[in-house]
Coordinates of all heavy atoms in Angstrom, one line a residue:
M20 N 0.9 -1.2 0.0 CA 0.0 0.0 0.1 C 0.9 1.3 -0.1 O 1.9 1.3 0.7 CB -0.9 0.0 1.3 CG -2.4 0.2 0.8 SD -3.5 0.5 2.1 CE -3.3 -0.5 3.4
K21 N 0.4 2.2 -0.8 CA 1.3 3.4 -0.8 C 1.0 4.3 0.5 O -0.2 4.1 1.1 CB 0.7 4.3 -2.1 CG 1.4 3.7 -3.3 CD 1.2 4.7 -4.4 CE 1.3 4.0 -5.7 NZ 0.3 4.6 -6.7
K22 N 1.9 5.1 0.8 CA 1.7 6.0 1.9 C 0.4 6.9 1.9 O -0.3 7.1 2.8 CB 2.9 7.0 2.0 CG 3.1 7.7 3.4 CD 4.4 8.3 3.6 CE 4.4 9.2 4.8 NZ 5.4 10.3 4.5
R23 N 0.1 7.4 0.6 CA -1.0 8.2 0.5 C -2.3 7.3 0.8 O -3.3 7.9 1.5 CB -1.2 8.7 -0.9 CG -2.0 9.9 -1.1 CD -2.4 10.1 -2.6 NE -3.0 8.8 -3.2 CZ -3.3 8.7 -4.4 NH1 -3.0 9.6 -5.3 NH2 -3.9 7.5 -4.8
D24 N -2.3 6.1 0.4 CA -3.6 5.3 0.6 C -3.8 5.1 2.1 O -4.9 5.2 2.7 CB -3.4 4.0 0.0 CG -3.3 4.0 -1.5 OD1 -4.0 5.0 -2.1 OD2 -2.8 3.2 -2.2
I25 N -2.6 5.0 2.9 CA -2.7 4.8 4.3 C -3.3 6.0 4.9 O -4.2 6.0 5.8 CB -1.3 4.3 4.9 CG1 -1.0 3.0 4.3 CG2 -1.5 4.3 6.4 CD1 0.5 2.5 4.7
L26 N -2.9 7.2 4.5 CA -3.3 8.3 5.1 C -4.8 8.5 4.8 O -5.6 8.9 5.7 CB -2.5 9.6 4.5 CG -1.1 9.7 5.1 CD1 -0.5 10.9 4.4 CD2 -1.3 10.0 6.5
L27 N -5.2 8.2 3.6 CA -6.7 8.3 3.2 C -7.5 7.3 4.2 O -8.5 7.8 4.7 CB -6.9 7.9 1.8 CG -6.8 9.0 0.7 CD1 -7.0 8.4 -0.6 CD2 -8.0 9.9 1.1
L28 N -7.0 6.2 4.5 CA -7.7 5.2 5.2 C -7.8 5.8 6.8 O -8.9 5.7 7.3 CB -6.9 4.0 5.3 CG -7.6 2.7 5.7 CD1 -8.6 2.3 4.5 CD2 -6.7 1.5 5.8
I29 N -6.7 6.4 7.2 CA -6.8 6.9 8.5 C -7.8 8.1 8.6 O -8.5 8.1 9.6 CB -5.3 7.3 9.0 CG1 -4.5 6.2 9.2 CG2 -5.4 8.1 10.3 CD1 -3.0 6.4 9.4
G30 N -7.8 8.9 7.5 CA -8.7 10.0 7.5 C -10.2 9.5 7.5 O -11.0 10.0 8.4
A31 N -10.5 8.6 6.8 CA -11.8 8.0 6.7 C -12.1 7.4 8.1 O -13.3 7.6 8.6 CB -11.9 6.9 5.7
L32 N -11.4 6.6 8.7 CA -11.6 6.1 10.0 C -11.9 7.1 11.1 O -12.8 7.2 11.8 CB -10.4 5.2 10.5 CG -10.4 3.8 10.1 CD1 -9.2 3.1 10.6 CD2 -11.6 3.1 10.8
A33 N -11.1 8.2 10.9 CA -11.3 9.4 11.9 C -12.6 10.0 11.8 O -13.3 10.2 12.8 CB -10.2 10.4 11.7
I34 N -13.2 10.1 10.5 CA -14.6 10.7 10.3 C -15.6 9.7 10.9 O -16.5 10.1 11.6 CB -14.6 11.0 8.8 CG1 -13.8 12.0 8.4 CG2 -16.1 11.2 8.5 CD1 -13.8 12.2 6.9
I35 N -15.3 8.4 10.6 CA -16.4 7.5 11.1 C -16.5 7.6 12.6 O -17.5 7.6 13.2 CB -16.1 6.1 10.6 CG1 -16.3 5.9 9.1 CG2 -16.9 5.0 11.4 CD1 -15.7 4.7 8.4
I36 N -15.3 7.4 13.3 CA -15.3 7.6 14.8 C -15.9 8.9 15.3 O -16.7 8.9 16.3 CB -13.8 7.4 15.2 CG1 -13.4 5.9 15.0 CG2 -13.8 7.7 16.8 CD1 -11.8 5.7 15.2
F37 N -15.6 9.9 14.6 CA -16.1 11.3 15.0 C -17.7 11.2 15.0 O -18.4 11.6 16.0 CB -15.7 12.4 14.1 CG -16.2 13.7 14.4 CD1 -15.7 14.4 15.5 CD2 -17.2 14.2 13.7 CE1 -16.3 15.7 15.8 CE2 -17.7 15.5 13.8 CZ -17.3 16.2 14.8
L38 N -18.2 10.7 13.8 CA -19.8 10.7 13.7 C -20.3 9.8 14.7 O -21.3 10.0 15.3 CB -20.1 10.1 12.3 CG -19.8 11.2 11.1 CD1 -20.2 10.6 9.8 CD2 -20.6 12.5 11.4
W39 N -19.6 8.6 14.9 CA -20.0 7.7 16.0 C -20.1 8.3 17.3 O -21.1 8.0 18.1 CB -19.0 6.5 15.9 CG -19.5 5.3 16.6 CD1 -19.4 4.9 18.0 CD2 -20.2 4.2 15.9 NE1 -20.0 3.7 18.2 CE2 -20.5 3.2 16.9 CE3 -20.5 3.9 14.7 CZ2 -21.2 2.1 16.7 CZ3 -21.2 2.7 14.3 CH2 -21.5 1.9 15.4
M40 N -19.3 9.2 17.7 CA -19.3 9.7 19.0 C -20.2 10.8 19.3 O -20.5 11.3 20.4 CB -17.8 10.2 19.4 CG -16.8 9.1 19.2 SD -15.7 8.7 20.5 CE -15.3 10.2 21.1
A41 N -20.7 11.4 18.1 CA -21.6 12.7 18.3 C -22.7 12.3 19.1 O -23.4 11.2 18.9 CB -22.0 13.1 16.9
P42 N -23.1 13.2 20.0 CA -24.3 12.8 20.9 C -25.4 12.8 20.1 O -25.6 13.3 19.1 CB -24.3 14.1 21.8 CG -23.8 15.2 21.0 CD -22.7 14.6 20.1
P43 N -26.5 11.9 20.5 CA -27.8 11.8 19.8 C -28.7 13.1 19.9 O -28.4 13.8 20.8 CB -28.5 10.7 20.6 CG -27.9 10.7 22.0 CD -26.5 11.2 21.9
E44 N -29.4 13.3 18.9 CA -30.2 14.5 18.8 C -31.1 14.4 20.0 O -31.8 13.5 20.5 CB -31.1 14.4 17.6 CG -31.9 15.4 17.4 CD -31.6 16.0 16.0 OE1 -31.2 15.4 15.2 OE2 -31.9 17.2 16.0
S45 N -31.1 15.6 20.9 CA -31.7 15.7 22.1 C -33.1 16.4 22.1 O -33.9 16.3 22.9 CB -30.8 16.2 23.2 OG -30.4 17.6 22.7
T46 N -33.2 17.3 21.1 CA -34.6 18.0 21.0 C -35.6 17.1 20.6 O -35.5 16.3 19.7 CB -34.4 19.1 20.0 OG1 -33.2 20.0 20.3 CG2 -35.7 20.2 20.1
K47 N -36.7 17.2 21.3 CA -37.8 16.3 21.0 C -38.3 16.4 19.5 O -38.6 17.6 19.1 CB -38.9 16.4 22.0 CG -38.6 16.0 23.3 CD -39.8 15.9 24.3 CE -39.3 15.3 25.6 NZ -40.3 15.6 26.7
P48 N -38.5 15.3 18.9 CA -39.1 15.4 17.5 C -40.7 15.8 17.6 O -41.2 15.7 18.7 CB -39.0 14.0 17.0 CG -38.9 13.1 18.1 CD -38.2 14.0 19.2
V49 N -41.2 16.3 16.5 CA -42.7 16.5 16.4 C -43.4 15.2 16.6 O -43.1 14.2 15.9 CB -43.0 17.2 15.1 CG1 -44.5 17.4 15.1 CG2 -42.2 18.5 14.9
P50 N -44.3 15.0 17.6 CA -44.9 13.8 17.8 C -45.7 13.3 16.6 O -46.1 14.0 15.7 CB -45.9 13.9 18.9 CG -45.7 15.4 19.4 CD -44.8 16.1 18.4
K51 N -45.9 12.0 16.5 CA -46.6 11.5 15.4 C -48.1 11.1 15.9 O -48.6 9.9 15.7 CB -45.9 10.2 14.8 CG -45.5 10.5 13.3 CD -44.9 9.3 12.7 CE -44.7 9.6 11.2 NZ -43.7 8.7 10.6
D52 N -48.7 11.9 16.5 CA -50.0 11.6 17.1 C -51.1 12.3 16.2 O -50.8 12.9 15.2 CB -50.1 12.0 18.6 CG -49.9 13.6 18.7 OD1 -49.9 14.3 17.7 OD2 -49.6 14.1 19.8
E53 N -52.4 12.2 16.6 CA -53.4 12.7 15.8 C -53.3 14.2 15.5 O -53.6 14.7 14.5 CB -54.8 12.4 16.5 CG -55.5 11.2 16.1 CD -56.7 11.0 17.0 OE1 -57.6 11.9 17.2 OE2 -56.9 9.8 17.5
T54 N -52.9 14.9 16.6 CA -52.8 16.3 16.4 C -51.7 16.7 15.4 O -51.9 17.7 14.7 CB -52.3 17.0 17.7 OG1 -52.9 16.4 18.8 CG2 -52.7 18.5 17.7
H55 N -50.6 16.0 15.3 CA -49.4 16.4 14.5 C -49.3 15.6 13.3 O -48.4 16.1 12.4 CB -48.1 16.2 15.5 CG -48.2 17.2 16.7 ND1 -48.8 16.7 17.8 CD2 -47.7 18.3 16.8 CE1 -48.6 17.6 18.7 NE2 -48.0 18.7 18.2
I56 N -50.0 14.6 13.0 CA -49.7 13.7 11.9 C -49.9 14.5 10.6 O -49.3 14.4 9.6 CB -50.6 12.5 11.8 CG1 -50.1 11.5 10.8 CG2 -52.1 12.8 11.7 CD1 -48.8 10.7 11.3
Q57 N -50.8 15.5 10.6 CA -51.1 16.3 9.4 C -50.0 17.2 8.9 O -49.7 17.5 7.9 CB -52.3 17.2 9.7 CG -52.1 18.0 11.1 CD -53.4 19.0 11.3 OE1 -53.9 19.6 10.4 NE2 -53.8 19.1 12.5
F58 N -49.1 17.5 10.0 CA -48.0 18.3 9.6 C -46.8 17.5 9.1 O -46.0 18.1 8.3 CB -47.4 19.0 10.9 CG -48.6 20.0 11.5 CD1 -49.0 19.8 12.8 CD2 -49.0 21.0 10.7 CE1 -50.1 20.6 13.2 CE2 -50.1 21.9 11.2 CZ -50.6 21.6 12.5
H59 N -46.8 16.2 9.5 CA -45.8 15.4 8.7 C -46.1 15.2 7.3 O -45.3 15.3 6.5 CB -45.9 13.9 9.4 CG -45.2 13.8 10.8 ND1 -44.1 13.4 11.3 CD2 -45.8 14.4 12.1 CE1 -43.8 13.6 12.5 NE2 -44.9 14.2 13.1
E60 N -47.4 15.1 7.0 CA -47.9 15.1 5.7 C -47.5 16.3 4.9 O -46.9 16.4 3.8 CB -49.4 14.8 5.5 CG -49.8 13.5 6.0 CD -49.0 12.4 5.3 OE1 -48.9 12.4 4.1 OE2 -48.5 11.4 5.9
M61 N -47.7 17.5 5.7 CA -47.7 18.7 5.0 C -46.2 19.1 4.7 O -46.0 19.7 3.6 CB -48.3 19.8 6.0 CG -48.6 21.1 5.3 SD -49.3 22.3 6.5 CE -50.8 21.7 7.0
V62 N -45.3 18.6 5.6 CA -43.9 18.9 5.3 C -43.4 18.2 4.0 O -42.6 18.7 3.3 CB -42.9 18.4 6.5 CG1 -41.6 18.3 6.2 CG2 -43.2 19.4 7.7
K63 N -44.0 17.0 3.8 CA -43.6 16.2 2.7 C -44.1 16.9 1.3 O -43.4 16.8 0.5 CB -44.2 14.8 2.8 CG -43.3 13.7 3.4 CD -43.9 12.5 3.4 CE -43.9 11.8 4.8 NZ -45.1 10.8 4.9
T64 N -45.4 17.4 1.5 CA -45.9 17.8 0.2 C -45.6 19.5 0.0 O -45.4 19.9 -1.2 CB -47.5 17.7 0.3 OG1 -48.1 18.2 1.5 CG2 -47.9 16.3 0.1
E65 N -45.6 20.1 1.1 CA -45.5 21.7 0.9 C -44.3 22.2 1.5 O -44.0 23.5 1.5 CB -46.8 22.3 1.4 CG -48.1 22.0 0.7 CD -49.4 22.4 1.5 OE1 -49.4 23.7 1.8 OE2 -50.1 21.6 1.9
G66 N -43.6 21.5 2.4 CA -42.4 22.0 2.9 C -42.5 22.5 4.4 O -43.7 22.7 4.8
K67 N -41.4 22.6 5.0 CA -41.4 23.0 6.5 C -42.1 24.3 6.6 O -42.9 24.5 7.6 CB -40.1 23.1 7.0 CG -39.3 21.7 7.0 CD -38.0 21.8 7.5 CE -37.3 20.4 7.7 NZ -35.8 20.5 8.1
K68 N -41.8 25.3 5.9 CA -42.2 26.7 6.0 C -43.7 26.7 6.2 O -44.4 27.4 6.9 CB -41.8 27.6 4.9 CG -40.6 28.3 5.5 CD -40.2 29.5 4.7 CE -39.2 30.5 5.1 NZ -38.4 31.2 4.2
A69 N -44.5 26.0 5.2 CA -45.9 25.9 5.1 C -46.5 25.3 6.5 O -47.4 25.9 7.1 CB -46.4 25.2 4.0
A70 N -45.8 24.3 7.0 CA -46.4 23.5 8.2 C -46.2 24.4 9.4 O -47.1 24.4 10.2 CB -45.6 22.3 8.3
E71 N -45.1 25.1 9.5 CA -44.8 25.7 10.7 C -45.7 26.8 11.0 O -45.8 27.3 12.1 CB -43.3 26.5 10.6 CG -42.2 25.6 10.9 CD -40.9 26.1 10.5 OE1 -40.9 27.1 9.7 OE2 -39.8 25.6 10.8
K72 N -46.4 27.3 10.0 CA -47.3 28.6 10.2 C -48.4 28.2 11.3 O -49.0 29.0 11.9 CB -48.1 28.9 8.9 CG -47.2 29.6 8.0 CD -47.8 30.3 6.9 CE -47.0 30.6 5.8 NZ -47.4 30.0 4.5
F73 N -48.7 26.9 11.4 CA -49.8 26.4 12.3 C -49.5 26.1 13.8 O -50.3 26.0 14.6 CB -50.6 25.2 11.6 CG -51.0 25.5 10.2 CD1 -50.3 25.2 9.1 CD2 -52.2 26.0 10.2 CE1 -50.8 25.4 7.9 CE2 -52.7 26.4 8.8 CZ -52.0 26.0 7.7
C74 N -48.2 25.9 13.9 CA -47.7 25.4 15.2 C -48.2 26.5 16.4 O -48.7 26.0 17.4 CB -46.2 25.3 15.4 SG -45.5 24.5 14.1
E75 N -48.1 27.7 16.1 CA -48.4 28.6 17.2 C -49.9 28.9 17.3 O -50.2 29.6 18.3 CB -47.6 29.9 17.0 CG -46.1 29.9 17.4 CD -45.3 31.0 17.1 OE1 -45.0 31.2 16.0 OE2 -45.1 31.7 18.0
D76 N -50.7 28.2 16.6 CA -52.2 28.3 17.0 C -52.4 27.6 18.2 O -53.2 27.9 19.0 CB -53.0 27.4 15.8 CG -53.0 28.1 14.4 OD1 -52.5 29.3 14.5 OD2 -53.5 27.6 13.5
C77 N -51.7 26.5 18.5 CA -51.7 25.8 19.7 C -50.6 26.1 20.7 O -50.9 26.3 21.9 CB -51.8 24.3 19.6 SG -53.1 23.7 18.3
H78 N -49.5 26.2 20.2 CA -48.3 26.4 21.0 C -48.1 27.8 21.3 O -47.4 28.6 20.6 CB -47.0 25.8 20.3 CG -47.0 24.2 20.4 ND1 -46.8 23.6 21.4 CD2 -47.4 23.4 19.4 CE1 -46.9 22.2 21.1 NE2 -47.3 22.2 19.8
N79 N -48.9 28.3 22.2 CA -48.6 29.7 22.7 C -49.0 29.8 24.2 O -49.4 28.8 24.8 CB -49.6 30.6 21.9 CG -51.1 30.1 22.0 OD1 -51.6 29.9 23.1 ND2 -51.8 29.9 20.9
A80 N -48.8 30.9 24.8 CA -48.9 31.0 26.3 C -50.2 30.6 26.8 O -50.4 30.2 27.8 CB -48.6 32.4 26.7
D81 N -51.3 30.7 26.0 CA -52.7 30.4 26.5 C -53.1 28.9 26.4 O -53.7 28.3 27.2 CB -53.7 31.2 25.8 CG -53.4 32.7 26.0 OD1 -53.1 33.1 27.0 OD2 -53.8 33.6 25.0
T82 N -52.7 28.3 25.3 CA -53.1 27.0 24.9 C -52.2 25.8 25.4 O -52.5 25.2 26.4 CB -53.5 26.7 23.5 OG1 -54.2 28.0 22.9 CG2 -54.5 25.6 23.3
V83 N -51.1 25.7 24.7 CA -50.1 24.8 25.1 C -48.9 25.5 25.4 O -48.0 25.8 24.5 CB -49.8 23.6 24.0 CG1 -48.9 22.7 24.6 CG2 -51.0 23.1 23.5
P84 N -48.5 26.1 26.6 CA -47.4 26.9 26.8 C -46.1 26.2 26.6 O -46.0 25.0 26.8 CB -47.6 27.3 28.4 CG -48.8 26.6 28.8 CD -49.4 25.6 27.8
F85 N -45.1 26.9 26.3 CA -43.7 26.4 26.1 C -43.1 26.2 27.5 O -43.5 27.0 28.4 CB -42.9 27.5 25.2 CG -43.3 27.4 23.8 CD1 -44.2 28.5 23.5 CD2 -42.9 26.6 23.0 CE1 -44.5 28.7 22.1 CE2 -43.3 26.7 21.5 CZ -44.0 27.8 21.1
P86 N -42.1 25.4 27.5 CA -41.3 25.3 28.8 C -40.7 26.6 29.0 O -40.2 27.4 28.0 CB -40.3 24.1 28.4 CG -40.7 23.6 27.3 CD -41.6 24.5 26.5
E87 N -40.4 27.0 30.3 CA -40.0 28.3 30.5 C -38.6 28.5 29.9 O -38.3 29.7 29.5 CB -39.8 28.5 32.0 CG -41.0 29.1 32.6 CD -40.8 29.4 34.2 OE1 -39.7 29.7 34.6 OE2 -41.9 29.5 34.8
D88 N -37.7 27.6 29.8 CA -36.4 27.8 29.1 C -36.4 27.6 27.7 O -35.4 27.3 27.2 CB -35.4 27.0 30.0 CG -35.8 25.5 29.9 OD1 -36.9 25.2 29.5 OD2 -35.0 24.6 30.3
H89 N -37.6 27.7 27.0 CA -37.5 27.3 25.7 C -36.7 28.4 24.9 O -36.9 29.7 25.2 CB -39.0 27.4 25.1 CG -39.0 26.8 23.7 ND1 -38.6 27.5 22.6 CD2 -39.3 25.5 23.4 CE1 -38.9 26.7 21.6 NE2 -39.2 25.5 22.0
P90 N -35.8 27.9 23.8 CA -35.1 28.9 23.1 C -36.0 29.6 22.1 O -37.1 29.5 22.0 CB -34.0 28.0 22.4 CG -34.7 26.6 22.4 CD -35.5 26.6 23.7
E91 N -35.3 30.6 21.5 CA -35.8 31.5 20.4 C -36.7 30.5 19.5 O -36.3 29.5 19.1 CB -34.7 31.9 19.5 CG -34.9 33.2 18.7 CD -35.6 34.3 19.6 OE1 -35.0 34.8 20.4 OE2 -36.7 34.7 19.3
K92 N -38.0 31.0 19.2 CA -39.0 30.0 18.7 C -39.2 30.1 17.2 O -40.0 29.2 16.7 CB -40.4 30.3 19.4 CG -40.4 29.8 20.9 CD -41.7 29.9 21.4 CE -42.1 31.2 22.0 NZ -41.4 31.7 23.0
F93 N -38.8 31.1 16.5 CA -39.1 30.9 15.1 C -38.5 29.8 14.5 O -37.4 29.3 14.8 CB -38.6 32.4 14.5 CG -37.1 32.4 14.4 CD1 -36.4 32.2 13.1 CD2 -36.4 32.7 15.5 CE1 -35.1 32.4 13.1 CE2 -35.0 32.8 15.4 CZ -34.4 32.6 14.2
R94 N -39.1 29.4 13.4 CA -38.7 28.2 12.7 C -38.7 26.8 13.6 O -37.6 26.2 13.7 CB -37.4 28.3 11.9 CG -37.2 29.5 11.0 CD -38.1 29.5 9.7 NE -38.5 28.1 9.2 CZ -37.9 27.6 8.1 NH1 -37.0 28.3 7.5 NH2 -38.3 26.5 7.6
C95 N -39.8 26.5 14.0 CA -39.9 25.3 15.0 C -39.2 24.1 14.4 O -38.5 23.3 15.0 CB -41.4 24.8 15.1 SG -42.6 26.2 15.4
L96 N -39.2 23.8 13.0 CA -38.9 22.6 12.4 C -37.4 22.5 12.2 O -37.0 21.4 12.0 CB -39.7 22.2 11.2 CG -41.2 22.2 11.5 CD1 -42.0 21.9 10.2 CD2 -41.5 21.1 12.4
F97 N -36.7 23.6 12.5 CA -35.2 23.6 12.4 C -34.8 22.6 13.6 O -33.7 21.9 13.4 CB -34.6 25.0 12.5 CG -34.4 25.5 11.2 CD1 -34.2 26.9 11.0 CD2 -34.2 24.9 10.0 CE1 -34.0 27.5 9.8 CE2 -34.2 25.4 8.8 CZ -34.0 26.7 8.7
C98 N -35.5 22.8 14.7 CA -35.0 22.1 15.8 C -35.8 20.9 16.2 O -35.3 19.8 16.5 CB -35.0 23.0 17.1 SG -34.0 24.5 16.8
H99 N -37.1 21.0 16.0 CA -38.0 19.8 16.2 C -38.1 19.0 15.0 O -38.8 19.6 14.1 CB -39.3 20.2 16.8 CG -39.2 20.9 18.1 ND1 -39.0 20.2 19.3 CD2 -39.2 22.2 18.4 CE1 -38.8 21.1 20.3 NE2 -39.0 22.4 19.7
K100 N -37.6 18.0 14.9 CA -37.5 17.2 13.6 C -38.9 16.5 13.3 O -39.5 16.0 14.2 CB -36.3 16.2 13.5 CG -35.1 16.8 13.6 CD -34.6 17.7 12.5 CE -33.3 18.3 12.7 NZ -33.1 19.6 11.9
V101 N -39.1 16.4 11.9 CA -40.3 15.6 11.5 C -39.6 14.5 10.8 O -38.8 14.4 9.9 CB -41.0 16.4 10.4 CG1 -41.9 15.5 9.7 CG2 -41.8 17.6 11.1
K102 N -40.0 13.1 11.5 CA -39.4 12.0 10.8 C -40.3 10.7 10.9 O -41.3 10.9 11.5 CB -38.1 11.7 11.4 CG -38.0 11.8 12.9 CD -36.5 11.4 13.4 CE -36.3 12.0 14.8 NZ -35.0 12.0 15.3
Ligands
HEC201 C1 -54.0 21.7 17.2 C2 -53.1 21.9 18.3 C3 -51.6 21.8 17.9 C4 -50.9 22.2 16.9 C5 -51.4 23.0 15.5 C6 -49.5 21.8 17.0 N1 -49.4 21.2 18.3 FE1 -47.7 20.4 19.0 N2 -48.7 19.7 20.7 C7 -50.1 20.0 20.9 C8 -50.4 19.4 22.1 C9 -51.8 19.5 22.9 C10 -49.2 18.9 22.6 C11 -49.0 18.2 24.1 C12 -49.6 16.8 24.0 C13 -49.0 16.0 23.0 O1 -47.9 15.4 23.3 O2 -49.7 15.6 22.0 C14 -48.1 19.0 21.8 C15 -46.9 18.7 21.9 C16 -45.8 19.1 21.1 C17 -44.4 18.7 21.3 C18 -43.8 18.0 22.5 C19 -43.8 16.5 22.2 C20 -43.2 15.7 23.4 O3 -42.6 14.7 23.2 O4 -43.4 16.3 24.4 C21 -43.7 19.2 20.2 C22 -42.2 19.2 20.0 C23 -44.6 19.9 19.3 N3 -45.9 19.7 19.9 C24 -44.3 20.5 18.1 C25 -45.2 21.1 17.2 C26 -44.9 21.7 16.1 C27 -43.5 21.9 15.5 C28 -46.0 22.2 15.5 C29 -46.3 22.7 14.0 C30 -45.7 21.9 12.9 C31 -47.2 21.8 16.2 N4 -46.6 21.1 17.4 C32 -48.5 22.0 16.2 C33 -51.0 20.7 20.1 C34 -50.7 21.2 18.8
HEC202 C1 -33.6 26.7 18.4 C2 -34.1 25.5 18.5 C3 -35.7 25.5 18.7 C4 -36.8 26.1 18.0 C5 -36.6 27.0 16.8 C6 -38.0 25.7 18.7 N1 -37.7 24.8 19.7 FE1 -39.1 24.0 20.9 N2 -37.7 23.2 22.0 C7 -36.3 23.3 21.9 C8 -35.6 22.8 23.0 C9 -34.0 22.7 23.2 C10 -36.6 22.4 23.9 C11 -36.3 21.7 25.3 C12 -35.7 20.3 25.1 C13 -36.8 19.3 24.8 O1 -37.1 19.1 23.6 O2 -37.3 18.6 25.6 C14 -37.8 22.6 23.3 C15 -39.0 22.1 23.9 C16 -40.2 22.3 23.3 C17 -41.5 21.9 23.7 C18 -41.8 21.1 25.0 C19 -41.3 19.6 24.9 C20 -41.6 18.8 26.1 O3 -40.6 18.7 26.8 O4 -42.8 18.5 26.4 C21 -42.5 22.2 22.7 C22 -44.0 21.8 22.9 C23 -41.9 22.8 21.7 N3 -40.6 23.0 22.0 C24 -42.5 23.4 20.7 C25 -42.0 24.3 19.6 C26 -42.7 25.1 18.7 C27 -44.1 24.9 18.5 C28 -41.8 25.9 18.0 C29 -41.9 26.9 17.0 C30 -43.0 28.0 17.3 C31 -40.5 25.5 18.6 N4 -40.6 24.7 19.6 C32 -39.2 26.0 18.2 C33 -35.7 23.9 20.7 C34 -36.4 24.6 19.8

């Protein structure tokens, strides 16, 4: 094996190990229940931006309040994944 091949191999291994060690996604995903299933569909057909418009109909201080330490709220689906 050439020296360059060995370096490539070590580089690839380093990347795999790095990805392996990354912490699991910790922000809760959008639930797949009766309330939210429609948004999973909407993200597929119309995209995240369209779906997000509806989140705050329920997720607001009066109906379903956010946890007190909730971060900046615009663009829900950047952090709360739909999967
Ligand atoms: C019709 C009202 C309604 C709409 C619209 C809605 N939600 Fe919810 N959501 C709820 C309720 C009620 C709960 C708490 C009970 C539950 O888990 O279903 C909740 C819970 C959640 C949770 C916490 C789940 C958990 O594991 O604790 C997340 C995250 C969430 N919603 C994200 C979203 C996002 C993102 C949108 C927009 C795409 C959205 N919701 C739209 C009513 C709604
Ligand atoms: C910058 C990232 C970010 C954005 C944007 C964001 N959130 Fe969150 N959200 C979090 C984090 C972090 C938590 C607390 C950790 C967790 O998920 O338990 C949280 C918690 C929540 C919870 C409570 C989950 C529980 O523990 O029951 C709900 C509901 C929620 N977010 C809904 C929304 C909605 C709706 C939007 C858009 C209006 C939104 N979030 C935007 C990061 C974000």
